[in-house]
Amino acid sequence: MDYKYIEQLLERYWQCETSLEEEQILRAFFSQKSVPAHLRQYAALFTYSRGEREEQVLGDDFDSRILALTADKPAPVRARAVNMRSRLMPLFKAAAVVAITLTIGNAARISVGDSRGGRDDINYTGYKDTYTDPAVAYDEVESALELVSEGISSADTASVGGSAGAQHTDSGR
């Protein structure tokens, strides 16, 4: 027997081009007892929906059974008051962790990394103020800063241009 029409309908079904009537024809064909062997693999698809529709019918006593199941057990109420302290508790815990971490880090830095013991490199006992006139002190600081600036700019030039660009000119001092 030639099943070309059914095969064409199946092709159109897979491409979602069948109408409801054509899908009904496919369901009727696959619900028969004698389905060809090469089309038998599709039979479960078309007979499944018919069988499910018949099994999924709710009975008349469905509502009364559900109400009987829910009426016996009152739902427990689990409400509790949430105050500001319990809302901010995660923030307090995070702040405590940060404070402990910083404290341990500073203690480790002081005990291990700081070999000077907190002392400065300036010798305050040997410091003498040699200038009594503020204008003279200002001029000396200005000239010292100019020398530092020239040194930095010549170092930059030397690092960029190599040794050829590292010529230092004295500005008459």
Side-chain angles (χ1 to χ4, degrees):
M1 189 170 210
D2 192 20
Y3 296 104
K4 290 285 185 193
Y5 180 67
I6 297 298
E7 291 172 357
Q8 289 173 355
L9 282 180
L10 278 174
E11 285 299 320
R12 291 187 57 214
Y13 181 80
W14 300 132
Q15 296 173 2
C16 301
E17 296 175 351
T18 55
S19 64
L20 293 176
E21 292 82 19
E22 291 171 333
E23 290 178 14
Q24 188 64 29
I25 292 170
L26 286 172
R27 282 190 198 95
F29 174 77
F30 285 109
S31 62
Q32 296 175 6
K33 300 266 190 233
S34 61
V35 176
H38 71 283
L39 296 175
R40 199 169 292 147
Q41 61 184 347
Y42 306 118
L45 176 70
F46 292 101
T47 58
Y48 174 77
S49 61
R50 184 173 52 107
E52 283 297 311
R53 263 191 259 140
E54 292 172 0
E55 292 176 14
Q56 296 288 334
V57 178
L58 298 176
D60 294 334
D61 62 339
F62 176 77
D63 291 336
S64 61
R65 285 187 295 150
I66 295 297
L67 288 174
L69 289 173
T70 58
D72 294 342
K73 301 173 187 172
V77 177
R78 297 178 188 218
R80 63 183 178 113
V82 179
N83 58 7
M84 188 60 82
R85 182 175 180 224
S86 64
R87 259 189 197 181
L88 295 177
M89 190 57 67
L91 183 63
F92 295 152
K93 289 178 181 179
V97 167
V98 169
I100 289 171
T101 304
L102 289 176
T103 302
I104 291 172
N106 284 335
R109 183 184 57 85
I110 289 171
S111 66
V112 174
D114 195 7
S115 62
R116 296 181 305 191
R119 293 172 290 155
D120 293 332
D121 290 336
I122 300 173
N123 184 6
Y124 289 108
T125 58
Y127 177 74
K128 289 191 271 181
D129 192 10
T130 57
Y131 297 100
T132 55
D133 186 17
V136 174
Y138 179 79
D139 290 339
E140 288 296 321
V141 167
E142 185 179 15
S143 65
L145 289 175
E146 284 179 9
L147 288 173
V148 169
S149 174
E150 288 174 6
I152 291 174
S153 65
S154 67
D156 286 343
T157 306
S159 67
V160 172
S163 61
Q167 298 174 359
H168 178 68
T169 59
D170 193 10
S171 59
R173 292 185 206 263

